[in-house]
Amino acid sequence: MSSTAIADHAFLSDRHSCALVDRAGSVVWLCFPRFDGPAVFAALLDDDAGHWSVAPEAPWTSTRRYAGRSLALETTFRTADGEVVLTDALGLGPDDQGHRLGVDVPHVLVRRLACTSGEVDVLVDYRPRPEYGLVVPLLSRVEGGVAARGGADWLVLTLPGQVVLADGRARARLRLRAGDVVHLGLQRSTLGSAVPAHVWTQPRLAGLLDRTLAAWESWSDLHQTYTGPWADLVQLSGRVLQGLSYQPSGAIVAAGTTSLPEAVRGERNWDYRYTWVRDASFTMEALWVAACPDEAADFFSFMTTAGAGGIGPATSLQIVFGVGGEHDLSERALGHLRGWRDSRPVRVGNGAWDQRQVDVYGELLGAAARLADQLPDLDEETRGFLAACADTAAARWRDPDQGIWEVRGQPRHFVYSKVMCWVALDRAITLAPRLGWEDRVEDWVKARGEISDAVLEQGWDERAGAFTQSFGSTALDASVLVLPIVGFLPADDPRVLATIDAVAERLTDDRGLVYRYRTGDGVDGLPGDEGTFLLCTFWLAQALALTGQVDRARAVFERAAAFASDLGLLAEEVDPGTGELLGNLPQAFSHIGLVNAAWAIDQAQRGRRPD
């Protein structure tokens, strides 16, 4: 089984698919040609499921960083005899500058070896296993590399020098001296592709890597404008969120991986390589300062297309889609994979696709309101879709649902879901003059008032001294921290202040990190425990900033941010016992929480309330 710490993995993206690379220079996760495609390398989840390692033969130490303002990884290996720098990237196309990042990609993982001093022997170990390790391909030598055939994939590895092939594995030793530079590349195509995968020349691979670095810099020039506290983490989070977006459709995935667990050897292991309406909307909001018309329009166009025909007072909006807009995400277990640290099952697909969650209308209309200036010319279909979201919130807010955490227990009247229906109507009322919805406003105002009355009467519990998880419950839930964040109540309302203190005191671990809820009451219908939730901890920091408690907010923020990896990446959770990152990586929710909390603290320090 794979046992490498989750935090030890780096994230690469070309806005179509992603790869994870560990500190030893091994690619242990790669899905072509989409985020949710079958993995070519999946050693992340089972040692026998494929990898591609490039590292010195002699004992080594390593350091790593992202190159400039990119998602290209630089790993520097040092041995007793020399130093070599390995640069890894998923290549971008020739016209991928600025807003066009990822428009035309070649589906190539490029790896540059540059010997900067002395002499280093580098071992290359290539073991592709398409379809999550099910396929052991037939490898054959071609001029300048190795071809792999098996299943639906045609893979070509550019690898100069002598190569030894055996048992579906290719190995080579490269001797590098100071000044030597060698490029390796892996390209994927399918049987019958118009442009099949092929060996690349050294100059072409060098050009591919150089233009990939330049493309990320050009995107960053337009988007990386935040200069407040923790700017490095905020800007890295912006690049990660961009890297989690699927350029062809405008979809945004919740994470780059599947089945990294919420507890070691537990079964809370989910596939997050899909686009949740909630997560994608929050992502757009987190990037609103630098959000551009092209990207905002792409996202809303995706939502309009993917959700078409499935929205209205009588029908719920589906909460999660494939990155191409697919609806059926039926979940299945991959029994042949042992899972990270023996955490089974490994799942693909996600059973939440047919759950009912009424909060999604609020997140979607919240993003629309935030990005209104970037969306001046919404087409009639998109305007109609957003209006239908508001109408559905007005009609369905009384329904029980599975809530933001997608519990697999019985539906409940979750406070968060009711509040987000209130948000949907509040934002629709604000947008009405701009989008021609004036005739609906009277009904929306009435429904908004009814929701407010219900939450204030049934969502507050005197015994708990706080807003609680669901109507009639005394259980705490970190999602109620959003009440001041979304403007449902003022931050200085005594009930808000009491709720913030209750979460901080009674829903945290010994480190002060926040749990989503206590799992022992059986609300989620699953056995076992989970870690503390980084998004919820950032919510606590953000809520404290809104109350003017800036010092407390900074302390909570820094407590959570301290668990970012050396590269600045965040997974979903933190193990309360060991302090290790848990859950899928990188996790959009966690990076969204970091961005929004940092912004709120910056504004509070300046004496302003965030817009």
Side-chain angles (χ1 to χ4, degrees), residues 100 235 312 487:
R100 293 180 57 80
Q235 291 183 6

Side-chain angles (χ1 to χ4, degrees), residues 68-87:
R69 296 177 297 170
S70 76
L71 289 181
L73 177 69
E74 286 184 356
T75 304
T76 300
F77 293 102
R78 297 176 181 87
T79 72
D81 298 318
E83 179 179 281
V84 63
V85 178
L86 172 64
T87 304

